[in-house]
Amino acid sequence: NFEYHYLCGIEVYEEDLPWRYSPALPANSQLSPWLWVVALKAGEFLRLAATPTGLNAISINGDAMTMAFPAATESWAWAHTHLNFMPEGGSLTEILADVQSTLGSNMNLGCSRLLCPRRLEPATTYTAFLIPAYEKGRLAGLGKADADIAAADNTAPSWTGTTGARDFPFYTEWSFTTSDEGDFESLARLIGPLDKTDADRLASANKTLDIRK
């Protein structure tokens, strides 16, 4: 009964994990995470045999490859750190020191999140997979040759460069089914103008309330 106008996502206990192993350098103060969440419907993927690295793997078909992932330049926007306190300090260095000190005293005051930007459909079952976000990570997870991994561009996302099916290792998975009614959007769509009968009924109800007062 997951509300379909929400975004699928995952919370990570460690605040820096989504970026810890990113092979690229930050650009314009933006750094894309090395992990990615993709939500797929039945028929959009096939399960493969375990890779030589021990990771499980899937093959995502070509149609899903074109619609289940964002533009490569936007992946940085779908990961963030959440803090349950207001950092203090007059400079970025002081703020960072305060964040590290506070989290060092209580690690439960922060977490990180990865969100999947795919718009979900109502009454639909999805399987979400946590996969490598960079091509280097995809190749490494599939157990490809070291030379192939080294040859991959450090900045290349794992889902670009092809229009056909592509194999991905994954670290974890979970399934969920979306609701088809009862959420805010479905209730808002029921709002409409009153016709004369409705208006007369409402006026009569209000008059009854006035009499009771």
Side-chain angles (χ1 to χ4, degrees), residues 109-181:
L109 292 178
C111 67
S112 54
R113 291 193 187 93
L114 290 160
L115 298 175
C116 174
R118 182 175 189 176
R119 180 170 174 82
L120 304 176
E121 299 174 10
T124 303
T125 297
Y126 292 87
T127 303
F129 296 94
L130 186 65
I131 63 174
Y134 286 88
E135 181 65 359
K136 278 186 178 292
R138 186 185 76 88
L139 295 175
L142 291 173
K144 300 299 183 180
D146 289 345
D148 294 335
I149 299 171
D153 190 317
N154 280 355
T155 63
S158 60
W159 59 85
T160 61
T162 181
T163 56
R166 176 167 284 197
D167 297 346
F168 288 86
F170 64 89
Y171 305 107
T172 190
E173 65 173 293
W174 67 97
S175 298
F176 62 94
T177 301
T178 55
S179 60
D180 60 352
E181 60 181 9

Side-chain angles (χ1 to χ4, degrees), residues 9-204:
I10 185 172
E11 287 192 351
V12 183
Y13 189 71
E14 297 171 285
E15 296 82 10
D16 69 322
L17 184 60
W19 307 271
R20 186 181 299 171
Y21 304 114
S22 295
L25 295 175
N28 299 320
S29 300
Q30 300 167 355
L31 178 61
S32 295
W34 68 278
L35 295 168
W36 189 256
V37 176
V38 60
L40 301 170
K41 298 187 291 186
E44 294 183 335
F45 66 94
L46 293 174
R47 295 186 181 274
L48 305 175
T51 70
T53 64
L55 292 174
N56 292 317
I58 56 171
S59 178
I60 303 177
N61 68 36
D63 290 341
M65 287 296 300
T66 62
M67 63 181 295
F69 294 93
T73 56
E74 298 176 356
S75 63
W76 63 270
W78 299 98
H80 66 267
T81 294
H82 175 90
L83 301 176
N84 290 321
F85 61 93
M86 181 63 69
E88 298 180 354
S91 66
L92 184 58
T93 301
E94 293 175 350
I95 291 173
L96 179 59
D98 182 66
V99 168
Q100 292 174 329
S101 174
T102 304
L103 291 177
S105 301
N106 187 348
M107 296 177 63
N108 295 321
L109 292 178
C111 67
S112 54
R113 291 193 187 93
L114 290 160
L115 298 175
C116 174
R118 182 175 189 176
R119 180 170 174 82
L120 304 176
E121 299 174 10
T124 303
T125 297
Y126 292 87
T127 303
F129 296 94
L130 186 65
I131 63 174
Y134 286 88
E135 181 65 359
K136 278 186 178 292
R138 186 185 76 88
L139 295 175
L142 291 173
K144 300 299 183 180
D146 289 345
D148 294 335
I149 299 171
D153 190 317
N154 280 355
T155 63
S158 60
W159 59 85
T160 61
T162 181
T163 56
R166 176 167 284 197
D167 297 346
F168 288 86
F170 64 89
Y171 305 107
T172 190
E173 65 173 293
W174 67 97
S175 298
F176 62 94
T177 301
T178 55
S179 60
D180 60 352
E181 60 181 9
D183 54 29
F184 178 81
E185 182 175 340
S186 63
L187 294 175
R189 290 182 181 278
L190 297 177
I191 299 174
L194 295 175
D195 58 24
K196 187 177 186 305
T197 301
D198 292 329
D200 290 344
R201 187 181 299 114
L202 182 60
S204 176

